[in-house]
Amino acid sequence: MKSSIILIANPTAQKASGRKVAMASYHLQSKGYSVEVLFTRKRGDAETLAREAALQRPHLIIAGGGDGTYNEVVNGIAGTGIPMAILPLGTTNVLARELDIPDKVQGAMDRALRGTTHLISLGKITLPDTLPVLSRYFILMAGIGYDASAVHGTNERLKKYSGQGAYIVSGMKTLLKFHPSLLTFTIDGVEHQGYSGIIGNAAKYGGDFSVTPDADLSNPFLYVCIFKSRTRVDIARYVFGILRGTHLQYRDVVYIKAERVVVTGKADIQIDGDYLGITPAVVEIVPDALRLVY
């Protein structure tokens, strides 16, 4: 047998997830690899399993699920030098779209085995007011304000059955009741103000859309997009601008390359599509933090 592969999978990501994981395991074994499949049962399990799996020094760890599962595995193995690949099973699979990973199981597993291993940068967000202080990596983005409030309000049951539809419903509800506080984004020492922001480590957002189109996992920089208005009309305008790819042309949108961002004020935070907490927050780039196969 060749080297070992550990597949950490979220069986509830979609109805067909269990079948797809079995197909993935069979395909990897057919190529001569020893495969151990570890299933998650609740939020947080993927990180714990990944951290424990890294101690075995496997040839590769594959994260099977959606962006939340990938985020957990990243937080379990960042800095260990263990390569990570992905099996798309989730709702929107933004990371898979960013990396152009095939949706089909065989294609994804062939990419995991034959793809190039890249050293990529990760975002790191710290919430200094939590006890103990909370600090986590993100691979795609940190959303602060409107989109984080929408993520916080998403119905998990509806998300399981309708996918992106659950986010759309929550976004509409959030728009009706959103009363944001003014935030200060101190970007590499320079202050900017606004009511919401997206800090991108990758270009893709919410599927095939892009809020921070210049962000690239291989580059050691973040890109910050700040929305300066708080009115419902302007928030709707921002959303439609993102859908059309024209939001960076707006005069009340700030777009800046960054290495360190300090956010003060009070707003919800999401990272990689999952709710995290409340600002203040410190966001930094961590170069060469993860070996990712794609």
Side-chain angles (χ1 to χ4, degrees):
M1 297 289 284
K2 292 183 183 180
S3 302
S4 65
I5 293 176
I6 296 178
L7 172 55
I8 299 171
N10 176 2
T12 64
Q14 289 182 345
K15 289 183 179 180
S17 293
R19 176 176 57 84
K20 289 182 177 180
V21 170
M23 291 171 59
S25 178
Y26 177 80
H27 184 72
L28 295 169
Q29 290 180 63
S30 74
K31 301 298 182 182
Y33 288 88
S34 171
V35 181
E36 181 179 4
V37 178
L38 305 174
F39 286 108
T40 65
R41 295 184 179 182
K42 62 183 184 302
R43 181 169 292 183
D45 279 358
E47 181 176 349
T48 300
L49 292 172
R51 186 171 288 110
E52 294 172 350
L55 298 176
Q56 301 178 38
R57 308 303 299 179
H59 171 74
L60 178 68
I61 291 177
I62 299 176
D67 295 303
T69 302
Y70 309 150
N71 178 277
E72 289 191 17
V73 173
V74 163
N75 275 277
I77 68 172
T80 66
I82 304 294
M84 169 182 156
I86 66 172
L87 170 63
L89 299 176
T91 304
T92 54
N93 296 314
V94 179
L95 181 60
R97 294 169 187 258
E98 179 81 13
L99 304 177
D100 196 27
I101 301 295
D103 289 331
K104 300 295 185 181
V105 171
Q106 182 173 329
M109 292 302 89
D110 284 341
R111 184 69 62 83
L113 297 179
R114 301 174 186 170
T116 302
T117 301
H118 301 260
L119 266 176
I120 70 163
S121 300
L122 295 174
K124 185 177 183 180
I125 185 166
T126 301
L127 307 188
D129 285 359
T130 58
L131 291 175
V133 172
L134 177 62
S135 187
R136 292 191 65 78
Y137 293 107
F138 62 88
I139 192 167
L140 294 168
M141 93 299 283
I144 298 170
Y146 173 74
D147 82 317
S149 295
V151 166
H152 192 33
T154 300
N155 184 296
E156 290 298 320
R157 180 175 294 183
L158 182 62
K159 175 182 173 182
K160 181 178 179 181
Y161 290 101
S162 69
Q164 286 183 303
Y167 292 112
I168 295 172
V169 170
S170 181
M172 294 173 64
K173 290 182 177 178
T174 300
L175 182 60
L176 295 175
K177 63 181 181 180
F178 191 55
H179 298 289
S181 300
L182 184 63
L183 303 172
T184 298
F185 297 79
T186 304
I187 302 174
D188 295 333
V190 180
E191 290 189 1
H192 301 268
Q193 291 188 317
Y195 290 92
S196 290
I198 304 292
I199 303 173
N201 188 47
K204 297 289 186 184
Y205 174 90
D208 286 321
F209 308 112
S210 183
V211 179
T212 55
D214 297 298
D216 188 317
L217 295 173
S218 63
N219 292 334
F221 298 100
L222 300 166
Y223 280 82
V224 187
C225 188
I226 301 171
F227 303 95
K228 300 182 72 173
S229 179
R230 61 179 294 174
T231 70
R232 292 184 179 90
V233 171
D234 283 332
I235 293 169
R237 177 169 56 88
Y238 297 146
V239 171
F240 284 112
I242 291 169
L243 297 179
R244 294 192 302 263
T246 59
H247 61 290
L248 297 184
Q249 300 172 20
Y250 299 164
R251 293 183 178 181
D252 56 352
V253 171
V254 176
Y255 184 56
I256 300 176
K257 184 179 181 179
E259 293 184 63
R260 187 174 191 269
V261 185
V262 179
V263 186
T264 54
K266 185 176 181 181
D268 289 322
I269 304 169
Q270 63 90 359
I271 57 170
D272 293 347
D274 281 336
Y275 187 74
L276 181 67
I278 302 288
T279 53
V282 178
V283 186
E284 303 167 285
I285 192 70
V286 183
D288 300 339
L290 180 71
R291 297 179 69 200
L292 188 61
V293 182
Y294 57 93

